[in-house]
Amino acid sequence: MAQIPNLDNSPLNLKSFREQSQKDLVDILKNENGAELRHLSAEPVQTDCTKVVYLVRSEFSLMRFICSNIHHDTSQGLQREYYVYFVPRREVVCEKVLEEENVHNLVTIGEYPLYMVPLDEDVLSFELDLANKECLVDGNTSSLWHIAKAIHKLESSFGVIPNVRAKGKASVRIADILNRMQAEEPVNSPDMVMPEINTLILIDREVDMVTPMCSQLTYEGLLDEFLHINNGAVELDSSIMGVQQEGKKMKVPLNSSYQNLQPSLLLSAPAFSYVLAINSLYMAEPFFSDKLFKEIRDLNFEVVVQVLRQKATSMKQDYAEMTTTHQTVSELKDFVKKLNSLPEMTRHINLAQHLSTFTSKHSFQSRLDMEQTLVEAQSYDICYDYIEELIHKQEPLVTVLRLLILFSITNSGLPKKNFDHLRRELLHSYGFEHIAMLNNLEKAGLLKKQESKGNWLTIKRNLQLVTEDTDTTNPSDIAYVFSGYAPLSIRLIQHAVRSGWRPMEETLKLLPGPHSEMKRGGFSSSSSFDTLHGASAAVDRHIQTHPGFLVADGRRSLVLVVFIGGVTFAEISALRFLSAQEAMAYDMIIGTTKIVNGNTLTQTYMEKLA
């Protein structure tokens, strides 16, 4: 069983995209009956089915798995039909592998053009797990075309986005690709008075690697840090949720509104890594609303505990009144309504209690203190000694690396002596097979030798990244998501939405990569510069005189924020907080290559030498 979000309240009509993906997949599989769903691996496909359908990304390793499967079947004298559908598009280099392995003539090849997956009402994922590492280490920029194509598809439905602001090498390149796509395949929208998405902000993860390396302190962020949210759910021991089934795991849904799905059409093929695309084949049962999760997901965890305590106390008092006094029918009805929320209450009290077993540990509090010290760029020697102690204790390698990356970025690297010493200590403690990982981190600029004085203090001061006495209960600033640190990425977006890049040119130059700001046309298929410029200027004049202007159906206009390299739940919470402020004239949709945290992002660099 899986959970997918209800998209009824999305600022954009994302349901149409999901429905189109369903239709495309059903078209691919319309002749498949009585099929079985599997995950792709090198293991042979054990089935009586005569057709095998592979839904895969264009990756070498997956091609090897497919070839291995087919070779096994051939050696056993099995005769099957094989279909390989690349998601979202086929690539010659992958087909070359099939040719080299002499299976190309046995395979029917197609495409399944799934470019993005709605993870929530305001979150779209391109599901490109390795985009950050591929761009920074491997020099593989194929994901950038994929992202541009996804945005171009959005424009086909909602109009050409008139304002584009990009920060980072990858982001600027995507903006250029997007313009090229519009010139080659113009978006035709003659009946559209005003584009629904007013501004596109593209930002590289490389621009702000500090934020994901800090421990998230929002409820949803902490759930991801410790339990890892996957496809809108966490998997944990049933005993944690109060279900006594020895050793049994259970999935707990984590969407503000979600849908239980039962399989109605399964494949006789291993599933590709876009698990949600498979989910879209399922027959859906009614949606379930988790209003409590929507209320608390973006709060600082300290406040979540208080909210749950207050709600539990209130329910207890209501119950006491019900058993000691006579109630009217109307009062009884209200009490029953409250009882209906009891399963939600129980679910989140259990989850919060489980999270508290992690957050109450001395080691977690010590790490938070050290992260705060690093963000404030103070006490270099104390931080160095702390990290060295973690290495000697052989704490989880990913924990050590997160702090080391944070240390390197906020100090513009490590002095050569310290850099060489820590590298040696890491390899001695965790094994010399990790030398490839250290080289990856160095190549990505995440762990480096100090060559010049850093500019983190200037960036921190200019953008007011650290605030004193942050109120997490009634926050007035995005810094509440990290109890005092305002995510650099969100500060940049905050400025970009309000006034564009120009007023902060000097600060932008201190951060990695170039930046750009451009106007684009949204009302004509003509690609002439005069027409496009005139249309954009008209939009700009309208915005200046009508801040927060409404689109045709009365909704607020939209800003699409796209993170190339991943976004954390804490950053999503901060953007939702911004959008909810009275001074903010726009709703926000978040696009990302992947939902990440410091662990998952660091692990993409953690390959070992064979």
Side-chain angles (χ1 to χ4, degrees):
M1 183 178 289
Q3 293 79 31
I4 62 171
N6 179 1
L7 302 176
D8 288 344
N9 297 318
S10 175
L12 279 179
N13 183 16
L14 298 179
K15 289 184 80 170
S16 63
F17 281 92
R18 188 158 67 192
E19 287 164 1
Q20 185 59 48
S21 295
Q22 290 174 343
K23 182 179 179 299
D24 290 344
L25 194 48
V26 169
D27 285 345
I28 289 171
L29 302 163
K30 59 189 174 186
N31 296 322
E32 305 299 313
N33 297 308
E36 304 162 5
L37 180 64
R38 308 280 175 82
H39 285 282
L40 177 57
S41 71
E43 296 298 315
V45 179
Q46 302 293 340
T47 179
D48 293 329
C49 295
T50 58
K51 293 182 180 179
V52 179
V53 181
Y54 296 93
L55 289 166
V56 293
R57 296 183 187 183
S58 298
E59 294 178 10
F60 283 118
S61 60
L62 301 180
M63 297 304 102
R64 299 294 181 197
F65 287 162
I66 292 171
C67 293
S68 175
N69 286 179
I70 296 175
H71 285 319
H72 175 270
D73 289 353
T74 304
S75 68
Q76 298 297 311
L78 296 173
Q79 292 187 342
R80 288 176 174 157
E81 295 177 39
Y82 303 98
Y83 300 84
V84 175
Y85 287 90
F86 289 103
V87 186
R89 62 182 182 131
R90 60 200 290 178
E91 292 187 12
V92 175
V93 288
C94 288
E95 292 184 50
K96 193 73 176 171
V97 176
L98 300 179
E99 288 178 9
E100 290 171 355
E101 292 287 335
N102 296 318
V103 300
H104 194 268
N105 61 325
L106 301 175
V107 173
T108 301
I109 294 176
E111 292 180 341
Y112 176 39
L114 181 72
Y115 286 93
M116 59 194 133
V117 177
L119 298 185
D120 217 310
E121 295 169 349
D122 55 354
V123 182
L124 290 165
S125 177
F126 310 123
E127 291 298 294
L128 297 166
D129 305 40
L130 302 175
N132 191 63
K133 188 250 183 184
E134 286 175 347
C135 288
L136 295 181
V137 177
D138 304 330
N140 179 358
T141 57
S142 60
S143 59
L144 306 188
W145 183 92
H146 175 121
I147 297 164
K149 183 67 175 179
I151 297 170
H152 191 58
K153 285 190 74 171
L154 279 175
E155 290 186 312
S156 298
S157 295
F158 306 113
V160 175
I161 303 171
N163 300 292
V164 178
R165 290 162 191 150
K167 174 57 183 170
K169 189 188 297 183
S171 292
V172 168
R173 188 164 176 183
I174 288 170
D176 291 339
I177 296 171
L178 203 53
N179 277 348
R180 210 159 59 238
M181 286 179 174
Q182 172 60 13
E184 294 169 0
E185 302 174 39
V187 170
N188 295 308
S189 50
D191 58 337
M192 188 167 292
V193 179
M194 194 71 67
E196 288 198 52
I197 304 173
N198 168 258
T199 301
L200 168 64
I201 299 173
L202 297 153
I203 186 166
D204 285 17
R205 183 73 275 169
E206 181 191 16
V207 171
D208 173 21
M209 284 295 289
V210 167
T211 296
M213 295 305 142
C214 293
S215 300
Q216 302 174 77
L217 296 178
T218 57
Y219 179 47
E220 192 167 21
L222 270 174
L223 284 168
D224 192 46
E225 292 275 358
F226 291 114
L227 303 179
H228 186 46
I229 298 172
N230 187 27
N231 297 330
V234 291
E235 187 173 7
L236 34 72
D237 289 337
S238 57
S239 59
I240 292 168
M241 302 307 293
V243 179
Q244 298 305 320
Q245 292 180 326
E246 190 70 29
K248 181 110 182 216
K249 296 273 189 183
M250 67 181 294
K251 282 189 176 181
V252 181
L254 289 171
N255 280 324
S256 52
S257 58
Y258 64 93
Q259 189 174 19
N260 276 347
L261 300 168
Q262 302 290 347
S264 65
L265 179 60
L266 299 178
L267 312 177
S268 61
F272 65 104
S273 49
Y274 285 99
V275 178
L276 285 176
I278 297 300
N279 290 346
S280 67
L281 285 172
Y282 289 15
M283 294 297 291
E285 294 186 353
F287 278 103
F288 296 87
S289 177
D290 190 341
K291 293 178 181 177
L292 180 57
F293 185 59
K294 190 167 188 175
E295 178 185 343
I296 65 178
R297 68 191 301 179
D298 300 316
L299 301 180
N300 189 289
F301 185 57
E302 289 180 0
V303 181
V304 170
V305 174
Q306 296 170 21
V307 169
L308 291 176
R309 185 181 296 117
Q310 289 165 2
K311 287 183 178 294
T313 301
S314 173
M315 192 169 283
K316 186 177 180 181
Q317 289 172 346
D318 288 345
Y319 180 75
E321 290 176 9
M322 287 294 299
T323 55
T324 57
T325 59
H326 296 289
Q327 306 293 318
T328 66
V329 173
S330 176
E331 287 169 333
L332 284 170
K333 187 177 178 182
D334 290 340
F335 180 67
V336 170
K337 278 185 181 178
K338 284 189 177 182
L339 283 181
N340 289 337
S341 67
L342 194 56
E344 298 169 28
M345 279 279 295
T346 305
R347 178 189 306 133
H348 292 295
I349 286 172
N350 286 333
L351 286 172
Q353 184 178 19
H354 186 54
L355 282 183
S356 296
T357 63
F358 299 105
T359 59
S360 61
K361 288 180 179 177
H362 175 70
S363 58
F364 180 72
Q365 295 300 324
S366 297
R367 197 168 89 212
L368 288 185
D369 291 342
M370 201 53 54
E371 290 171 0
Q372 188 71 18
T373 301
L374 289 169
V375 167
E376 293 179 5
Q378 298 175 350
S379 308
Y380 179 96
D381 291 336
I382 292 174
C383 298
Y384 180 85
D385 293 342
Y386 181 82
I387 293 172
E388 190 174 33
E389 184 181 351
L390 292 181
I391 294 171
H392 293 161
K393 287 181 177 178
Q394 290 194 316
E395 293 291 329
L397 179 56
V398 70
T399 303
V400 175
L401 291 174
R402 281 180 69 165
L403 280 173
L404 200 49
I405 292 168
L406 190 58
F407 192 11
S408 180
I409 295 171
T410 54
N411 286 277
S412 192
L414 284 72
K416 184 179 185 307
K417 181 180 71 172
N418 299 127
F419 178 84
D420 292 338
H421 176 70
L422 281 183
R423 269 180 65 102
R424 234 177 2 253
E425 293 296 294
L426 278 166
L427 294 175
H428 278 299
S429 288
Y430 299 99
F432 283 88
E433 66 270 21
H434 291 294
I435 196 166
M437 171 203 69
L438 292 176
N439 290 340
N440 286 343
L441 292 174
E442 193 171 355
K443 192 171 181 180
L446 301 178
L447 183 59
K448 63 182 184 180
K449 296 174 187 173
Q450 198 175 63
E451 296 175 352
S452 61
K453 187 178 178 182
N455 50 33
W456 175 252
L457 285 172
T458 307
I459 295 167
K460 183 187 71 158
R461 182 179 64 252
N462 290 357
L463 295 175
Q464 297 178 300
L465 298 182
V466 177
T467 61
E468 300 293 332
D469 303 319
T470 303
D471 186 350
T472 55
T473 305
N474 298 296
S476 58
D477 185 76
I478 58 173
Y480 85 91
V481 297
F482 286 100
S483 295
Y485 163 65
L488 166 58
S489 57
I490 311 304
R491 273 285 191 256
L492 291 178
I493 292 162
Q494 195 173 9
H495 284 283
V497 171
R498 286 177 178 170
S499 53
W501 290 146
R502 192 166 297 172
M504 54 184 308
E505 286 270 358
E506 295 308 310
T507 302
L508 284 172
K509 289 175 183 176
L510 300 176
L511 295 163
H515 61 277
S516 68
E517 190 162 12
M518 65 182 73
K519 307 290 184 184
R520 303 166 73 234
F523 308 105
S524 171
S525 60
S526 168
S527 59
S528 75
F529 177 80
D530 290 339
T531 306
L532 295 178
H533 180 76
S536 293
V539 174
D540 254 21
R541 285 194 299 273
H542 192 84
I543 294 167
Q544 288 165 7
T545 54
H546 301 82
F549 70 86
L550 304 180
V551 292
D553 61 0
R555 289 176 291 152
R556 293 201 299 175
S557 190
L558 282 172
V559 173
L560 172 62
V561 181
V562 176
F563 291 82
I564 294 90
V567 67
T568 64
F569 281 113
E571 289 169 302
I572 292 173
S573 293
L575 282 174
R576 286 174 179 153
F577 175 83
L578 279 183
S579 185
Q581 300 310 296
E582 286 185 14
M584 177 60 70
Y586 306 97
D587 287 326
M588 292 194 186
I589 291 277
I590 299 134
T592 180
T593 49
K594 191 72 177 175
I595 302 285
V596 298
N597 58 47
N599 288 354
T600 57
L601 193 54
T602 302
Q603 284 164 352
T604 61
Y605 294 90
M606 291 175 64
E607 61 181 313
K608 297 180 181 180
L609 287 178

